[in-house]
Amino acid sequence: MFHIGHLNLLRRAKEKCGYLIVGVSTDECVEGYKHHTPVVAYDERAAIVASIKYVDEVVPQTTMDKLEFLKQRHFDVMFHGDEWKGTELYNKYEKEFAQYGARIEYLSHTEGISSTMLRERING
Amino acid sequence: MIIGYTTGVFDMFHIGHLNILRRAKEQCDYLIVGVSTDELVQRDKHKTPIIPFENRSAIVEAIRYVDKVVPQEDKNKFGAWEKYHFNRMFVGSDWQGTPQWEGYEKQFGEVGVEIVYFPHTDGISSTLLRELIKPNGGGTNQ
């Protein structure tokens, strides 16, 4: 469910680049790692993201392997939530990305909002 | 230049909201969206939106079809016209044919404002989303 936390990330990413591509996870991709289907279908989630002023292009994210996309399509900087900063996986990505001339910039999440929190608020 | 106006709560922004905004913008040059304040929703619908006004407004304002967002503090549509001087107002088709909106059509017709009715998107609403979010609620794929 699109919320203010999502909007803030998109706005802040666009402040730091000239052309923003957003990979929206497909339903199959989400099922693969969260083991549940998103409540809102991919087409609708992608349409909403594509309608945001800060977004130049939406592509489906079919795999959680971030390097896969970089191999297909060059980008200079990938924006990601900072909870992954300093982890083994992302340290590895940083090195691999550098070989392609790309870097990672970490953005902090908006406090007090997340899809999980929203679900809890709705469920009462 | 055709100035358009539409209003809503836009709680838990979904594809139905997006469709209304997109279709409204197709029929005007400058789209003003009135987002209902938390107080109005409490008075009018006797419930509190899940998402506070500030965040609901921010999301609507970020949609590429929207030129301006204003707070909707009351249900006085003619009062809104006196402020914003729109030429066309977009409304859900569930209101069409009601005495209230037949009255509005006359009142707005006198000042040259056209009322355009849109059908809602099937299969989605904030109420439905609330149900789908519950455990075993399913999804919009179904």
Side-chain angles (χ1 to χ4, degrees):
Chain A
M1 260 190 319
F2 194 80
H3 57 66
I4 194 75
H6 298 134
L7 184 64
N8 288 341
L9 278 176
L10 295 175
R11 191 190 69 245
R12 291 161 65 201
K14 190 58 194 282
E15 279 167 8
K16 298 174 184 236
C17 69
Y19 187 86
L20 180 62
I21 304 168
V22 181
V24 173
S25 300
T26 58
D27 292 343
E28 297 74 24
C29 177
V30 176
E31 278 154 28
Y33 77 96
K34 289 197 189 186
H35 308 295
H36 74 77
T37 319
V39 173
V40 178
Y42 169 79
D43 283 344
E44 295 175 11
R45 292 185 283 110
I48 289 173
V49 173
S51 77
I52 300 293
K53 285 172 183 154
Y54 313 122
V55 176
D56 296 294
E57 188 179 332
V58 166
V59 296
Q61 178 175 237
T62 54
T63 164
M64 293 309 286
D65 183 343
K66 305 298 180 185
L67 195 60
E68 271 311 300
F69 188 72
L70 183 54
K71 286 178 182 168
Q72 288 166 42
R73 178 92 182 263
H74 175 74
F75 54 80
D76 301 288
V77 51
M78 178 174 81
F79 301 99
H80 205 285
D82 63 1
E83 74 277 21
W84 287 99
K85 187 173 181 179
T87 60
E88 204 181 305
L89 177 61
Y90 273 73
N91 286 344
K92 180 161 158 283
Y93 274 142
E94 282 175 37
K95 285 198 190 72
E96 288 169 340
F97 274 36
Q99 288 164 19
Y100 288 84
R103 69 181 202 282
I104 301 179
E105 239 186 86
Y106 298 95
L107 301 175
S108 55
H109 288 281
T110 303
E111 279 190 20
I113 188 78
S114 71
S115 296
T116 306
M117 281 183 207
L118 260 186
R119 252 197 294 275
E120 282 163 14
R121 212 185 296 175
I122 289 167
N123 284 326
Chain B
M1 177 171 81
I2 298 177
I3 301 173
Y5 182 67
T6 192
T7 63
V9 179
F10 300 100
D11 198 12
M12 294 187 295
F13 196 82
H14 57 66
I15 194 77
H17 298 136
L18 183 63
N19 288 340
I20 289 180
L21 297 175
R22 190 191 71 246
R23 293 163 72 192
K25 191 62 194 279
E26 280 166 5
Q27 298 200 38
C28 68
D29 303 301
Y30 187 86
L31 179 61
I32 302 173
V33 181
V35 174
S36 299
T37 58
D38 293 340
E39 296 74 23
L40 175 62
V41 179
Q42 269 147 24
R43 272 200 326 268
D44 187 48
K45 299 192 185 190
H46 308 294
K47 57 185 178 186
T48 315
I50 295 282
I51 306 295
F53 170 78
E54 218 173 53
N55 296 352
R56 292 185 281 111
S57 277
I59 288 174
V60 172
E61 200 159 29
I63 301 295
R64 64 181 76 250
Y65 311 120
V66 176
D67 295 291
K68 187 179 172 72
V69 166
V70 297
Q72 179 177 228
E73 291 164 319
D74 57 52
K75 303 292 278 181
N76 180 3
K77 303 295 184 189
F78 206 76
W81 178 77
E82 282 167 343
K83 273 200 208 131
Y84 308 119
H85 296 289
F86 43 85
N87 310 103
R88 212 168 257 169
M89 180 161 54
F90 305 99
V91 179
S93 59
D94 46 323
W95 292 105
Q96 192 168 18
T98 61
Q100 185 186 34
W101 281 85
E102 286 186 340
Y104 276 135
E105 281 174 41
K106 277 197 192 75
Q107 197 182 17
F108 279 109
E110 282 162 16
V111 293
V113 174
E114 190 190 345
I115 297 177
V116 177
Y117 296 97
F118 283 153
H120 290 283
T121 301
D122 273 343
I124 190 75
S125 69
S126 295
T127 307
L128 181 64
L129 255 187
R130 272 197 225 217
E131 285 306 307
L132 292 176
I133 298 275
K134 298 191 161 111
N136 304 318
T140 60
N141 252 322
Q142 296 163 15

